[in-house]
Amino acid sequence: MDEIDYQFAEDDFPEKIVEKLRVTFREEAYELLAELENALLALEENPGDRDLVNRVFRALHTIKGSGGACGFDSISRFAHEVETFYDFVRNGQLAVTKQIIDLTLMARDQIQALFDEFYNHRPADASKTGRIISRFGELMPGSLPAGSRERREQAAAPSPGQATYRIRFRPGLDFLSYGMDPVSFLDELRGLGPCTVVAQTEAIPYLEDFNPEHWYTYWDAILTTDRGRDAIEDIFIFAKSVCELTVEVIDAYGCTDCDETTYKRLGDILLERGDLSAEDLQNALRSKKRLGETLVETGAVPPGKVESALAEQQHVREIREERRMNEETSSIRVSTAKLDDLVNLVGELVTVRARLSQLAFTQNSPQLLSVAEEVERLTGDLRDKTMSIRMLPIGTIFGKFQRLVRDLSSDLGKEVELVAEGAETELDKTVIERLGDPLVHLIRNCIDHGIEKPTKRERTGKARRGTVRLSAAHSGAHVLIRIEDDGKGLDAHAVRAKAVERGLIAPDAAMSEQDLYALVFSPGFSTAKTVTGVSGRGVGLDVVKKAIEALRGSIELQSKRGEGASITLKLPLTLAIIDGLLVRIGPERFVIPLALVKECVELSRQDRRNGHGRNIANVRGAILPYVDLRDRFGISGDRPPIEQIVVTEPGGARTGLVVDGVIGGHQTVIKNLGTFYRDVEGVSGATILGDGTVALILDVPKLVQGAEREEADIVASIRDPQH
Amino acid sequence: MNHQLTYEGKRGVLTFTGDLTIRHAEEMRTAFIDALAGAEAVSMEFVDVTAADQSFLQLLCSAHRTAVRLNKRLAFTGPRSAPVDRAMETAGFERRTGCNLDRGNSCLWVGREGPDQPAS
C-alpha cells in the first residue's frame, strides 16, 4: 500500500471506505506480523546480520504506514515508536541483545493483540502499549535530548519510496587541504543503495602542471535508494562549501509517465545533464552510426561524459528490470470460498465427463468417442491445475513453530533447536490448516516429555541442546511428515504398566514394542508423572490421532530408549479426489482406496471350507484374515463360485475384503455423505460413477476394526457364556 | 623511495612498491617526468604495494596523457596489485573507452581483464 503521511481520524473519511480498506488489509497485516516474527527469531541467531535488521525495520515500517492508512492510529503510532528504536540498531548505535529481541517480540504480540481486537473482537489491554514503549525508552543509547528525538521523528516521517538520483559531485581544487578524502563520500553514497560511479578525468593536467595536492577528478554517480534526497545531501553537509553538488531524481517507483521497460535514450540523458546542446544532438543523430560513437568522434561530447551517461542508462535499466521481476512473481489473493466453488464445479465436471465417456463407448460413434477423449484430457488437466491451486507449501505452518519452540524451551528450562526440512513440500490447503493443531501438540510433547533438561543431557553424553527435527516429503500419493527428537525416548515398561493399569491389555499379554507404542494413542493415556501446564493431562495424543485419521491419514510412533522418538504422519495429497479400486458385490458397487490395496487373490468355495468356519485364508503360506463384505453389508443374492479377496493393509496388518469381483481402477471426486449417514461405520463417502450410479467409498480401517471387535466379542462369549 | 627506474635499451621500467599515496606523489611525479624523458616506452610494475590512493590514480592519468602527447607509450605490466585495483574500483576509474585525449586506445583504465603489454 502506498505510504500516506498523515494519520486519519475516523470521521475524516467516509466510514465505508475505511471499512473496506481494513478488510483488504487484514491478510497483509497478519502476514506482516508473521514476517516480523520470523525476522526477529532469525536476528536472535545472527545478531550481526544487517539484512535481518533491515527486514525487521521494513516490516515495522509497513505496519506503520499501511496500518495508519487504514485508520489504525494507535497501532501505527506504536509501530513508529518501535521503528524509531530500530533505527539505532540499524545505525550500529545499539547492538542486538536477547533483551531487545524479547521486548520486540512482546511489542509484536501486542500489535497482534490490537489487530485481533478489531478483526476477531478479542479485547486487548491498551495500557500494555505504553509500558512496552517506556521499556524501549530505557534501552535507548545514551541520554538523548528531547529535541533530537523530535527531529528524528520528523525525519522518520514520509519516505518517498525508492528512487534513482543522478548526482554530480565536483570537489574544488583545494578539496584535499580541508583534510577530506573525496572517495570516502563515494563510499557513503554506496551505503545508501546500489550506486554506479564514473570518474571524470578531463580536468587532470599534464605532468608538468600537475600539483599532487590539488584535486582534479569529479564524479557522476547514479544512486538508487529509498532513503530520500535528504539522506544524500546529508552526506555532503560538511563539504558543501568546497564542492559543487547537484542531485536530480531521474527515476522513481510509480512515476506514471515513464515507460517501465526502456529508459531515456543516450541523447536525452546528455541533454538533461547539459553535456550536449540540442543542436549538436540533432546533427549527431543525422549520422548513421550509433549516437555515442558519433558524439565522441566529432568531439561534441567528451568521451567521459558519454561513458557516464551510458552508465546511467545501464544502472536504471537494471533497477527497473529487477523491479519488474519482483512484480511479476507477486501473487494474487483469492478468497477460499471462491476456490472451493471452483473445485466443486470441476468435480461435477469430472463426474459428467465419466458419463460422457461411457455413453460415447456404448453409442459406438467414432466422432463422439474422439470428442469424449478430448473432453477427458482437458478435464484431467483442469482438475490437476485446480487441485494444485489449493496446494500450499507446508512451510507456511512450519514458520510458527519456531516461535513455539523458542517460548516452550524457555518456559520449561530446556534448550531446544527446531530444524525444519522440506518446507517446500506442498499439501492441500485444508489439510495444512487442519494439521496445525496436531503438529503443535506433537512438538509440545517432544519438548515436554522427550527432550531432557540440559544438565541431564550432558550427563548422559548428549549435547546440551536438544533437536526437534520436522521434515516433510512426498511419497507416492502421500505426504510423509516426521517429527523426531533426540530426547530420552519412550519407556516400554512404563507404557506397558500404564496400559495394564488402564485395562487396555491383559497383564500377561504378549505385545511387541511397536504394539505397545501404538497404545500411547489411546484416550486418556499418559505416562507423565506430573501434569505440566503444557501437556500430561492425557487428552492429547488420541485427539491427534483422530484428527490425522479424519484427514484420511495415519500416524505411527517409533522410539529408541535413550536416543529419542519419532512420529510419522502419512497424509493424502488431497482430500477431494480419491484413487480407488472399484469392486462389485451383487448389484452394488464400492470403492476401496487404492493406497491401501496390496493385491487381489481368488477365493474359491474350497478355500472357504479350508478356513473351518473362520474367516481366514491361506495366501502363499501365510494366514490372511478377511472380512466378508456381503455378510457385513447384508447384500442379498447368490455368491459367485469364485470370489475375490482384496488384500489391504490398513495400519500395517494385512486383512482381506471379500467381494464378488474387481472392476478396475477408478478416480473420482468424493462426495460427502449427508449428516444422516455420517456415523455409519465403514463408509467414508460416496462417489458417482459414469453411469450415474452411486458407489460407496469404504473406510477400510474402521471396517477392519469393527470386524475385529465382533470377532473378539464372539471369542469372549465362547470363553465365558455369561459375557 | 617507493619507486625505481631502470632502463632496458630504449624501454624504461618503473617499479612501484610500498605506499603509493599522496605523501609520495611529488616524488613519483618527478619519476614519471624522468622516465618519459629518457625512454620511448615506459612499463609500470607493481611489487609489494601496501597502499594506493586516488591521488596516485590521478597522477597515473596525468602521466599517461602526457605520454600520449609525447607520442610515447605508458602501460602496466606484470601482475595486478590489489590495493591499486581497489582504489580504481572505489574511485570509479574503470571505463569502457578512453577519454578524448586518448590516442591508440591506450587508456590505462579500460578493461579489467589484464594489463596492457607494451609493444616491443
Side-chain angles (χ1 to χ4, degrees):
Chain A
M1 290 189 79
D2 289 318
E3 289 281 79
I4 306 204
D5 58 358
Y6 51 91
Q7 319 233 317
F8 300 123
E10 284 272 342
D11 39 35
D12 271 0
F13 231 60
E15 278 188 13
K16 280 239 160 117
I17 298 185
V18 174
E19 275 306 302
K20 264 204 112 174
L21 273 176
R22 287 184 173 186
V23 166
T24 323
F25 180 54
R26 180 189 186 142
E27 249 192 271
E28 192 185 335
Y30 285 99
E31 274 177 19
L32 284 167
L33 287 169
E35 157 68 1
L36 180 55
E37 187 175 60
N38 287 338
L40 284 168
L41 291 173
L43 184 59
E44 191 175 24
E45 298 294 313
N46 307 295
D49 190 334
R50 285 206 69 185
D51 281 338
L52 290 171
V53 175
N54 280 334
R55 269 176 68 187
V56 170
F57 194 87
R58 271 200 302 270
L60 288 167
H61 194 72
T62 315
I63 292 175
K64 172 184 94 172
S66 305
C70 293
F72 288 118
D73 296 345
S74 49
I75 295 180
S76 177
R77 274 193 291 272
F78 188 21
H80 174 69
E81 291 294 333
V82 185
E83 184 196 11
T84 308
F85 179 83
Y86 265 86
D87 220 8
F88 288 109
V89 179
R90 219 166 46 152
N91 293 337
Q93 284 169 278
L94 267 181
V96 174
T97 62
K98 182 172 185 331
Q99 197 187 17
I100 289 182
I101 299 277
D102 278 344
L103 187 57
T104 321
L105 282 171
M106 215 187 298
R108 184 220 87 103
D109 289 344
Q110 176 66 353
I111 295 178
Q112 174 152 333
L114 291 171
F115 275 128
D116 280 345
E117 189 169 42
F118 176 77
Y119 286 122
N120 298 326
H121 307 292
R122 266 202 283 264
D125 179 8
S127 62
K128 228 176 159 184
T129 311
R131 286 201 293 278
I132 297 178
I133 292 180
S134 51
R135 280 191 60 189
F136 270 116
E138 289 162 25
L139 293 171
M140 292 279 208
S143 55
L144 215 56
S148 61
R149 271 209 73 181
E150 273 164 28
R151 200 174 0 105
R152 172 163 292 284
E153 275 180 34
Q154 277 167 20
S159 104
Q162 199 193 55
T164 305
Y165 303 86
R166 182 191 297 142
I167 302 163
R168 182 161 281 179
F169 169 45
R170 191 172 194 146
L173 217 50
D174 49 358
F175 197 80
L176 296 175
S177 63
Y178 291 92
M180 291 185 287
D181 173 17
V183 176
S184 69
F185 291 94
L186 298 179
D187 285 335
E188 284 195 61
L189 279 178
R190 288 192 182 103
L192 292 179
C195 186
T196 313
V197 173
V198 181
Q200 304 301 322
T201 57
E202 68 236 18
I204 299 179
Y206 295 112
L207 280 173
E208 55 261 23
D209 303 317
F210 187 88
N211 180 344
E213 288 175 22
H214 281 176
W215 191 261
Y216 303 103
T217 321
Y218 70 95
W219 288 276
D220 286 330
I222 310 293
L223 170 69
T224 302
T225 179
D226 57 4
R227 304 283 298 276
R229 177 192 288 271
D230 287 342
I232 298 177
E233 291 185 349
D234 279 351
I235 291 178
F236 296 94
I237 254 182
F238 296 113
K240 272 235 172 88
S241 52
V242 283
C243 73
E244 275 172 40
L245 179 72
T246 52
V247 179
E248 294 162 54
V249 177
I250 54 176
D251 182 50
Y253 184 43
C255 83
T256 47
D257 57 340
C258 43
D259 177 358
E260 291 286 337
T261 50
T262 58
Y263 183 52
K264 302 168 195 150
R265 287 172 302 184
L266 182 60
D268 295 329
I269 300 177
L270 288 167
L271 261 180
E272 268 183 29
R273 291 172 168 209
D275 292 334
L276 181 67
S277 74
E279 192 186 322
D280 285 342
L281 177 60
Q282 291 295 27
N283 290 336
L285 284 173
R286 280 204 207 99
S287 140
K288 293 264 167 46
K289 287 197 185 167
R290 293 167 68 123
L291 182 62
E293 286 174 32
T294 316
L295 289 176
V296 169
E297 275 175 22
T298 59
V301 180
K305 296 219 157 89
V306 173
E307 179 86 24
S308 160
L310 285 171
E312 176 180 316
Q313 241 187 4
Q314 177 78 354
H315 180 110
V316 175
R317 271 212 194 111
E318 281 169 12
I319 294 285
R320 285 196 177 171
E321 183 59 45
E322 203 184 298
R323 196 188 296 154
R324 202 157 52 89
M325 284 203 323
N326 288 339
E327 281 168 2
E328 275 169 1
T329 55
S330 69
S331 51
I332 186 171
R333 292 190 210 286
V334 177
S335 82
T336 22
K338 285 190 187 167
L339 194 52
D340 286 342
D341 284 345
L342 183 62
V343 169
N344 274 339
L345 274 176
V346 172
E348 306 278 345
L349 190 59
V350 166
T351 309
V352 169
R353 178 228 77 198
R355 290 172 58 191
L356 178 65
S357 295
Q358 186 144 32
L359 267 173
F361 193 69
T362 52
Q363 294 284 332
N364 224 339
S365 146
Q367 279 167 318
L368 191 55
L369 261 173
S370 82
V371 170
E373 259 173 42
E374 179 130 0
V375 171
E376 191 163 327
R377 196 176 45 80
L378 288 170
T379 339
D381 269 346
L382 181 62
R383 192 206 51 224
D384 286 342
K385 296 244 174 353
T386 322
M387 288 305 144
S388 79
I389 294 179
R390 289 179 56 96
M391 306 281 266
L392 285 178
I394 198 174
T396 48
I397 45 169
F398 276 9
K400 71 175 180 185
F401 295 142
Q402 289 285 2
R403 178 82 192 269
L404 171 70
V405 169
R406 181 190 184 273
D407 290 345
L408 254 182
S409 352
S410 205
D411 289 343
L412 295 170
K414 303 189 180 173
E415 287 173 35
V416 182
E417 183 187 2
L418 177 69
V419 173
E421 286 165 3
E424 69 282 355
T425 312
E426 288 191 340
L427 278 134
D428 186 276
K429 187 179 193 323
T430 324
V431 174
I432 289 189
E433 282 164 8
R434 285 157 68 173
L435 263 186
D437 283 346
L439 281 178
V440 163
H441 193 90
L442 290 172
I443 293 179
R444 274 200 175 133
N445 244 35
C446 284
I447 299 183
D448 200 10
H449 298 298
I451 310 268
E452 317 92 320
K453 285 218 158 81
T455 38
K456 175 140 186 251
R457 285 178 68 90
E458 274 179 337
R459 259 188 283 128
T460 49
K462 289 185 182 175
R464 261 185 90 86
R465 218 173 184 201
T467 310
V468 170
R469 175 171 272 113
L470 199 54
S471 63
H474 282 300
S475 162
H478 289 88
V479 172
L480 293 176
I481 299 174
R482 183 168 288 138
I483 304 118
E484 268 177 84
D485 68 71
D486 59 356
K488 63 179 191 258
L490 257 74
D491 180 352
H493 292 299
V495 171
R496 197 196 174 82
K498 194 80 182 191
V500 170
E501 185 191 314
R502 294 204 157 271
L504 291 169
I505 54 172
D508 56 353
M511 303 271 287
S512 68
E513 245 186 37
Q514 249 334 97
D515 294 334
L516 275 176
Y517 294 151
L519 287 175
V520 173
F521 293 105
S522 316
F525 194 101
S526 170
T527 55
K529 301 247 174 10
T530 53
V531 171
T532 67
V534 174
S535 44
R537 260 184 229 112
V539 293
L541 284 179
D542 70 312
V543 171
V544 169
K545 182 161 188 239
K546 277 211 186 68
I548 300 296
E549 284 178 349
L551 291 170
R552 276 193 283 125
S554 64
I555 183 169
E556 197 181 87
L557 171 65
Q558 261 155 353
S559 164
K560 210 145 182 220
R561 187 103 169 89
E563 283 179 28
S566 86
I567 293 190
T568 309
L569 307 175
K570 193 170 170 190
L571 296 160
L573 278 177
T574 170
L575 296 179
I577 281 205
I578 188 166
D579 267 327
L581 188 66
L582 190 59
V583 299
R584 70 184 149 76
I585 304 174
E588 307 288 342
R589 305 265 178 281
F590 299 92
V591 172
I592 301 175
L594 205 53
L596 294 171
V597 175
K598 294 290 163 220
E599 61 178 321
C600 296
V601 282
E602 280 186 359
L603 182 70
S604 65
R605 293 231 174 88
Q606 182 57 42
D607 295 323
R608 271 189 180 274
R609 282 196 286 273
N610 289 347
H612 300 299
R614 307 283 303 279
N615 280 354
I616 52 177
N618 185 323
V619 178
R620 295 188 296 274
I623 289 190
L624 176 73
Y626 57 75
V627 178
D628 192 314
L629 289 177
R630 193 178 258 276
D631 284 343
R632 204 158 174 75
F633 293 149
I635 298 174
S636 55
D638 296 325
R639 286 179 197 277
I642 299 197
E643 293 163 289
Q644 294 286 336
I645 305 184
V646 176
V647 182
T648 65
E649 204 173 332
R654 285 167 70 96
T655 314
L657 301 172
V658 178
V659 300
D660 284 359
V662 172
I663 301 176
H666 191 82
Q667 191 184 59
T668 52
V669 178
I670 302 176
K671 296 271 176 215
N672 282 321
L673 298 170
T675 28
F676 287 122
Y677 308 108
R678 214 171 275 165
D679 293 327
V680 172
E681 196 182 64
V683 179
S684 66
T687 180
I688 301 181
L689 299 177
D691 62 356
T693 54
V694 174
L696 292 177
I697 301 172
L698 298 180
D699 181 341
V700 178
K702 286 274 162 53
L703 266 180
V704 169
Q705 270 172 30
E708 282 175 352
R709 246 196 332 235
E710 280 181 16
E711 275 267 321
D713 283 349
I714 293 175
V715 168
S717 71
I718 290 176
R719 276 203 196 144
D720 174 13
Q722 247 89 32
H723 183 87
Chain B
M1 283 274 263
N2 61 350
H3 61 272
Q4 199 185 20
L5 179 56
T6 54
Y7 289 97
E8 292 169 18
K10 281 265 174 181
R11 216 156 57 91
V13 179
L14 256 182
T15 315
F16 291 104
T17 54
D19 190 35
L20 308 178
T21 63
I22 187 171
R23 247 183 290 153
H24 306 281
E26 182 51 38
E27 295 166 29
M28 295 194 281
R29 183 181 82 97
T30 334
F32 272 118
I33 297 183
D34 291 340
L36 287 173
E40 288 300 313
V42 179
S43 326
M44 296 180 286
E45 274 181 16
F46 297 110
V47 177
D48 293 333
V49 172
T50 49
D53 71 3
Q54 290 66 36
S55 297
F56 179 65
L57 297 181
Q58 276 196 138
L59 180 60
L60 281 178
C61 205
S62 171
H64 181 251
R65 48 183 63 177
T66 312
V68 168
R69 190 186 62 174
L70 295 171
N71 244 320
K72 303 192 175 184
R73 286 210 64 139
L74 176 68
F76 296 123
T77 48
R80 305 189 74 88
S81 156
V84 176
D85 283 350
R86 237 190 335 268
M88 268 171 57
E89 206 181 309
T90 346
F93 264 70
E94 296 128 41
R95 338 161 43 96
R96 274 174 285 194
T97 58
C99 68
N100 58 348
L101 297 175
D102 187 20
R103 273 207 299 273
N105 285 324
S106 62
C107 175
L108 296 175
W109 316 117
V110 171
R112 299 210 75 218
E113 307 85 45
D116 206 348
Q117 300 291 327
S120 51

